[in-house]
Amino acid sequence: MSTIPASEEHRVVDQVPKQLYIGGEWRDGAKGRLSVEDPATGETLTDVADASVEDAKAALDAAVEAAPEWSRHPPRERGEILRRAFETIIARADQLALLMTLEMGKPIAESSAEVAYGAEFLRWFSEQAVRIDGRYAVAANGQGRLLTMKQPVGPSLLITPWNFPLAMGTRKIGPALAAGCPVVVKPAQQTPLSMLMLARILEESGLPGGVLNLISASSSSETMGPLIADPRLRKLSFTGSTEVGTTLMAQASQNLLRLSMELGGNAPFIVFDDADIDAAVQGALIAKMRNIGEACTAANRFHVDARVMQPFAAKLADKMGAMKVGRGTEAGVEVGPLIDGRQRHKVAALVDDAVGRGARALLGGHARAGAGYFFDPTVLGDVPAEATLLREEIFGPVAPVRSFGDEDEAIAAANDTQYGLVAYVYTSDLKRALRVVERLETGMVGLNQGMVSNAAAPFGGIKQSGFGREGGPEGIDEYLETKYVAISL
Ligand code: NAP
């Protein structure tokens, strides 16, 4: 792959509609413009509309108005709109991947993978739209009949983070639209461009005006607060940090909103001495370095059997050290910049804290000088239990490695966190695999693989990683209510 010419970069940015999308119309935001930065250069890429509270209310008004028709819209047609959007995304995958790299920083190959993954939710839920069913049963006493039906929850607010600018949107939009719920979408202010393109694609795919409304805003609390407090809103689906999720949950309690909370993670990656070490290193690279480590599913802690600790850490450092760091549009780059200076500062502080407490840097350990927010791939050995990065989400290309003595110790270490999103386990012993998987306190487990994301599977966490599931047959239930009808015979 060769480096992409600047003219092509300008072309894909120019193509993005940069206004708010409300009630089927593109319009300016009352607060002016909001700039979007390229994290690889620190330079402004473009700007988009900045919504006011009134704009946000207008978006909810439009969703509320669209709700009755959209809930009765034939499921097949709802599915076909999603299917057309899927086809369009695939047809424009290269442009969408470039756009994503420019606003978020990840290498083009990874952006392409996210475009494919993100599109898959639209295909999956286009197929689920026609499988919303109910139940008919004879009452236990034989006298009456029980009927249950599933109905759309209603107008839903979808708030997404910057780390997967497209897929975190489609994972919510796909099931919501398939279920018959109109939505207001608010992407992260750092990465609104991919979602704006998605709104345009859904518009082109025949989505009626008002069913999807998009708000970009410089103040998320100011614009979202009134919507969450509005009794016409029926559902909030949030992906982001546990800290913000907790605040939103408190706000949502006033109206007892239906909630889905996809929050932070602190994934353990466990390697037993019977594992295929080369396969474990390969899986570790994916679990750690995908998205520059800026993934809720990123392996945050490596727990390795003391007997295989040395070869595992050495091979991991070797492979991570060979990865090319640079702007995601450049040929051969495998590690892009972090999203901003604040995130890079946080990663550096976590590394300094660990080293200060006695960890050994086997690789890297430093921010890169120059433009952009680059941080060198880093492997830390002998990480002491008190190191802060074992408890906090690192969100960067840093792999702390610790050893354990036996299975119980490994499981206790893995579960020693407030989070519970995903864990990774490498072992070739089937009985041990099942024993360990059952005892891990997480919503998902990667067994001998370093990635779990799949549109056909229920993605989600427990403990402070939140609740609710996205993807799989479970994903659409987040946007459906069950109504029970008691029938007298
Ligand atoms: P964040 O700071 O929590 O922000 C997420 C979204 O919430 C953004 O759109 C943000 O808008 C908005 N927001 C922030 N404060 C708000 C408020 N008071 N009211 C309403 N909206 C508000 O998270 P982030 O830094 O973007 O993303 C990283 C986090 O997301 C990590 O913790 C990661 O683990 C988590 N994540 C979880 C999953 C999962 O599926 N479990 C997936 C991906 C990411 P602004 O852009 O305006 O701040």
Side-chain angles (χ1 to χ4, degrees):
M1 195 201 313
S2 61
T3 301
I4 293 160
S7 56
E8 181 59 12
E9 293 183 12
H10 295 313
R11 205 177 64 80
V12 297
V13 172
D14 288 348
Q15 279 174 355
V16 179
K18 300 180 186 75
Q19 293 172 292
L20 308 176
Y21 186 53
I22 298 175
E25 285 175 6
W26 294 92
R27 58 190 237 193
D28 290 333
K31 278 182 71 179
R33 308 295 291 172
L34 164 64
S35 61
V36 182
E37 191 183 82
D38 176 348
T41 61
E43 287 168 15
T44 299
L45 268 180
T46 184
D47 54 33
V48 299
D50 187 1
S52 65
V53 173
E54 284 64 38
D55 293 325
K57 281 189 185 152
L60 181 59
D61 291 345
V64 169
E65 199 181 322
E69 195 287 326
W70 187 243
S71 69
R72 291 192 297 266
H73 207 84
R76 175 65 75 199
E77 284 180 26
R78 296 202 298 255
E80 280 169 356
I81 292 167
L82 291 174
R83 176 73 197 206
R84 281 197 290 276
F86 161 77
E87 309 275 1
T88 307
I89 292 175
I90 297 303
R92 298 188 199 160
D94 289 348
Q95 295 103 294
L96 288 164
L98 175 55
L99 186 66
M100 189 182 291
T101 291
L102 292 175
E103 67 173 342
M104 187 275 167
K106 70 179 93 178
I108 289 285
E110 287 203 52
S111 293
S112 300
E114 183 186 336
V115 169
Y117 170 58
E120 204 52 53
F121 286 98
L122 302 186
R123 175 157 69 171
W124 174 266
F125 287 107
S126 75
E127 292 157 355
Q128 296 302 105
V130 291
R131 289 178 179 77
I132 299 168
D133 52 20
R135 176 160 68 86
Y136 180 81
V138 177
N141 64 7
Q143 301 291 303
R145 298 294 180 264
L146 318 178
L147 177 69
T148 66
M149 59 183 77
K150 300 256 181 83
Q151 294 184 305
V153 168
S156 301
L157 176 59
L158 316 179
I159 302 180
T160 59
W162 49 263
N163 62 342
F164 291 97
L166 183 73
M168 296 304 97
T170 55
R171 221 160 71 160
K172 300 182 190 304
I173 293 166
L177 299 192
C181 299
V183 298
V184 176
V185 184
K186 199 214 71 74
Q189 58 181 293
Q190 280 149 315
T191 59
L193 304 180
S194 298
M195 205 81 89
L196 284 161
M197 276 310 288
L198 176 65
R200 168 58 56 80
I201 287 170
L202 282 160
E203 180 186 29
E204 287 171 9
S205 302
L207 191 69
V211 174
L212 179 133
N213 307 278
L214 192 150
I215 290 294
S216 46
S218 58
S219 177
S220 43
S221 54
E222 190 183 303
T223 46
M224 296 296 103
L227 298 200
I228 296 169
D230 192 312
R232 298 172 302 164
L233 186 74
R234 294 296 158 77
K235 158 107 196 173
L236 167 63
S237 178
F238 172 75
T239 299
S241 61
T242 297
E243 193 189 353
V244 173
T246 311
T247 305
L248 297 184
M249 194 168 161
Q251 291 175 18
S253 68
Q254 293 306 310
N255 287 331
L256 294 171
L257 276 184
R258 277 279 298 268
L259 290 175
S260 301
M261 287 279 158
E262 299 285 348
L263 308 179
N266 179 4
F269 189 106
I270 309 171
V271 183
F272 287 101
D273 63 335
D274 55 34
D276 174 336
I277 297 300
D278 288 332
V281 170
Q282 215 44 49
L285 275 183
I286 297 166
K288 180 72 257 178
M289 297 304 286
R290 175 169 170 248
N291 232 42
I292 320 141
E294 294 172 315
C296 52
T297 49
N300 211 58
R301 304 168 281 143
F302 291 84
H303 300 286
V304 185
D305 188 304
R307 285 162 290 196
V308 293
M309 163 84 181
Q310 201 282 330
F312 175 84
K315 285 181 181 189
L316 183 61
D318 211 35
K319 295 266 187 203
M320 280 174 58
M323 295 177 91
K324 184 174 170 192
V325 179
R327 189 163 188 249
T329 51
E330 285 166 20
V333 163
E334 293 169 281
V335 186
L338 296 176
I339 190 71
D340 57 23
R342 204 169 62 119
Q343 183 59 29
R344 184 168 69 168
H345 178 74
K346 182 190 159 192
V347 173
L350 287 172
V351 170
D352 290 348
D353 168 80
V355 172
R357 293 175 193 266
R360 257 182 330 120
L362 305 176
L363 175 74
H366 303 286
R368 286 214 169 169
Y373 309 113
F374 295 95
F375 197 92
D376 282 337
T378 297
V379 179
L380 301 177
D382 301 331
V383 179
E386 323 77 70
T388 311
L389 83 181
L390 297 176
R391 290 187 301 281
E392 282 188 18
E393 235 182 346
I394 303 170
F395 248 51
V398 177
V401 187
R402 273 172 67 76
S403 65
F404 64 79
D406 62 23
E407 197 175 298
D408 282 344
E409 199 189 320
I411 292 167
N415 287 339
D416 185 17
T417 169
Q418 60 179 340
Y419 296 105
L421 188 61
V422 62
Y424 304 92
V425 180
Y426 273 77
T427 174
S428 55
D429 177 340
L430 179 62
K431 289 183 183 172
R432 162 176 274 165
L434 295 177
R435 260 193 328 261
V436 172
V437 163
E438 286 183 10
R439 291 176 63 193
L440 285 170
E441 296 170 357
T442 57
M444 303 175 286
V445 179
L447 182 55
N448 292 322
Q449 64 178 56
M451 195 166 87
V452 294
S453 304
N454 187 324
F459 188 105
I462 61 173
K463 294 162 73 176
Q464 292 207 16
S465 292
F467 46 81
R469 294 294 179 266
E470 293 189 326
E474 292 86 352
I476 199 166
D477 287 338
E478 301 283 320
Y479 297 89
L480 293 168
E481 297 284 13
T482 300
K483 182 180 279 175
Y484 148 60
V485 186
I487 304 172
S488 158
L489 281 195

